[in-house]
Amino acid sequence: MLVDCYAREDVFAQVPELAAEIDPVLRTLDGLLDDDQLYQQVRADFGKRHRYTLVHGRHSTPVEVLLRMLILKHLYQWSYKELEGRVKDSLVLRWFCRVAFHGVPDGSTLWHWQQTLRPETLHTLNDRVVQLAKQAKVTKGRKLRLDATCVQTEIHHPTDSGLLVDSVRVLSRFVQRAKELVKDQVSNVQQACRSRLRTARQVAQTLHRQLRRKVEDKEAQQKELYQKLIETAEHMVHQSRAVAAALTQQTGQVAQRLLSQATKVLPLVEGVIAQTRRRVLEGKKMASEQKVLSLFEPHTRAIPRHKGGALVEFGRHVILDEVEGGIVTRFQILEHPNEHGQAVEAVEHHCALFEHPPNLVAGDRGIHSAETEERLKAAGVKRVAIPAAGKLSPERQALEHTRPWRRGYRWRAGIEGRIASLRRDYGWRRSGYHGQDGMERWLGLGVIASNLRHVAQATVTRAHNKQAA
């Protein structure tokens, strides 16, 4: 029989079946992300990007496309450029991201939109994902375990000389950019906007060579070079103050943006100068929490590891809670590397999510505090498997050697594998976004991607087992 052509059909109508064969987890994820609460919470933040985003201007990239592409990025740890290329080339990913045959947003577009997500929104989104896990019967919230890890920030190793050179570089860039704006307000604008970066780099190179030499009076020569670096940085601070004072008289958008940047960085530079003078020239020690470790990530802390490999890591201490089923219910960036008392907050958050306390709470010795066990028992927790710190009484020793306690404490060890998975597969080794809010977005999107994958995998496995039976 002669036919003129194949019957017309919608290409994307066949993709769900194709996706179910290629990646059933991705197919299940598609259904999980079709959740109106997730969509509305993200849309509320995206609507605040500009003043009239919700009502005026050209049409943006749809909210569901942005949300799905951000989840996809953290699900597979792709860069923005790689994400854009893979979605363009894959019919299944175009279907999953709801792009169809429209243009795929580029990396800069996604980056600007993710900047509008508030940390509070990410925590709320994760709470909603936990509710979806509960509805899918992946977890019932009967057991809870806690542990903490260090997430590093994107900085180079902080040294006094390196921070001083960074200070001179940043302030030199500021005065150079402001030169055209203040040339009519500042006397001798050439001197006021002079860059001293070459001088700082030459002194730093000489200092590094001096550190490798074995000569007498080495310490005095190093102090002299550090003094030159400090003086160069102080000259740049004086120049920047004069330029910033001139910019305060202007109302232009560029001038105000430069002034805002200078206002943020100048106190940090002065802190770097003060700590270098105190540590190197005066030979005095300085508390770790008082040090400036980076001009670009000022929230960075020095965290001692007391383990093999790096003795100190530079980043933030993050604690996370996990229930059975591999679902992370909460994460929090700690102000200080101290986990004491976190079990009480974890149980309060758990009760708000599951409407009942866990039967078991497990953690390591760092989570223990004087009142932890009593407060957890009062909250309704039946068994607490957290080792006590300090010298143990005979009664406490006997309790920690009982079989139920030891079984609960052995279950705690599974969270080490969850931390390893988050660090290896979801970017928790090092934050890819800047600032503390950026770190919370990075960690939150990684946790949400991990939880969604666990829910999807459990759903697919349950369906497969039913078919096999």
Side-chain angles (χ1 to χ4, degrees), residues 164-165 167-173 175-176 190-203 228-240:
L164 286 172
V165 173
S167 302
V168 174
R169 176 167 60 88
V170 171
L171 294 182
S172 296
R173 183 173 58 198
V175 296
Q176 288 289 311
Q190 294 294 336
Q191 185 65 23
C193 297
R194 173 190 169 190
S195 173
R196 300 178 184 269
L197 180 57
R198 182 182 296 178
T199 301
R201 283 177 172 168
Q202 287 176 348
V203 175
K228 289 182 181 179
L229 263 180
I230 291 173
E231 290 175 357
T232 303
E234 287 176 335
H235 285 313
M236 284 308 310
V237 169
H238 179 71
Q239 293 174 218
S240 300

Side-chain angles (χ1 to χ4, degrees), residues 173-412:
R173 183 173 58 198
F174 161 67
V175 296
Q176 288 289 311
R177 289 178 176 175
K179 185 175 181 180
E180 290 297 321
L181 298 174
V182 302
K183 61 182 179 182
D184 297 329
Q185 298 173 269
V186 177
S187 59
N188 196 0
V189 69
Q190 294 294 336
Q191 185 65 23
C193 297
R194 173 190 169 190
S195 173
R196 300 178 184 269
L197 180 57
R198 182 182 296 178
T199 301
R201 283 177 172 168
Q202 287 176 348
V203 175
Q205 288 174 358
T206 305
L207 176 63
H208 295 161
R209 293 193 202 101
Q210 191 70 30
L211 289 172
R212 293 193 294 267
R213 293 177 182 173
K214 297 181 180 179
V215 294
E216 296 181 0
D217 204 19
K218 181 178 178 180
E219 186 175 349
Q221 294 177 12
Q222 291 174 8
K223 287 186 176 181
E224 183 179 350
L225 291 171
Y226 267 110
Q227 182 64 44
K228 289 182 181 179
L229 263 180
I230 291 173
E231 290 175 357
T232 303
E234 287 176 335
H235 285 313
M236 284 308 310
V237 169
H238 179 71
Q239 293 174 218
S240 300
R241 291 286 184 193
V243 172
L247 288 176
T248 56
Q249 305 173 14
Q250 302 187 20
T251 58
Q253 185 176 3
V254 177
Q256 290 301 312
R257 184 171 66 248
L258 287 173
L259 181 60
S260 175
Q261 294 171 358
T263 304
K264 293 178 181 178
V265 78
L266 277 170
L268 295 174
V269 172
E270 291 172 343
V272 169
I273 294 172
Q275 75 185 24
T276 305
R277 179 177 282 112
R278 181 175 178 179
R279 294 181 67 253
V280 179
L281 302 185
E282 299 176 8
K284 297 179 180 178
K285 293 184 178 181
M286 195 170 184
S288 175
E289 59 270 13
Q290 297 177 356
K291 294 179 183 178
V292 178
L293 300 175
S294 173
L295 300 179
F296 314 103
E297 301 286 351
H299 64 101
T300 303
R301 306 282 188 271
I303 300 175
R305 298 297 293 161
H306 307 298
K307 295 181 180 179
L311 298 178
V312 177
E313 292 185 9
F314 301 99
R316 294 301 295 272
H317 215 57
V318 182
I319 192 164
L320 67 153
D321 310 341
E322 184 191 10
V323 293
E324 75 276 10
I327 303 299
V328 178
T329 57
R330 182 186 74 112
F331 69 94
Q332 181 181 345
I333 299 176
L334 302 178
E335 286 299 322
H336 303 284
N338 188 349
E339 307 161 36
H340 296 306
Q342 285 295 320
V344 177
E345 293 185 26
V347 170
E348 291 175 355
H349 183 261
H350 186 279
C351 292
L353 283 179
F354 293 94
E355 300 178 350
H356 64 80
N359 296 332
L360 167 68
V361 175
D364 59 13
R365 189 171 281 103
I367 296 171
H368 182 270
S369 65
E371 301 177 353
T372 295
E373 195 155 343
E374 291 77 6
R375 294 179 66 178
L376 294 184
K377 294 284 188 181
V381 179
K382 296 179 181 178
R383 189 157 35 118
V384 179
I386 302 176
K391 187 175 180 180
L392 303 183
S393 64
E395 294 80 7
R396 183 68 191 185
Q397 290 181 0
L399 172 66
E400 294 188 5
H401 281 83
T402 59
R403 180 173 292 180
W405 193 97
R406 293 175 65 183
R407 186 184 296 116
Y409 188 65
R410 280 199 300 270
W411 184 76
R412 181 216 69 87

Side-chain angles (χ1 to χ4, degrees), residues 96-139:
F96 177 79
C97 295
R98 299 292 193 265
V99 175
F101 290 118
H102 297 283
V104 177
D106 60 16
S108 62
T109 299
L110 287 171
W111 184 85
H112 284 297
W113 280 111
Q114 66 84 15
Q115 288 282 96
T116 64
L117 287 173
R118 296 174 302 146
E120 298 82 7
T121 302
L122 272 301
H123 290 284
T124 307
L125 286 177
N126 190 56
D127 290 346
R128 177 56 185 165
V129 173
V130 174
Q131 292 176 3
L132 294 176
K134 181 182 175 182
Q135 293 173 10
K137 298 182 180 179
V138 176
T139 181

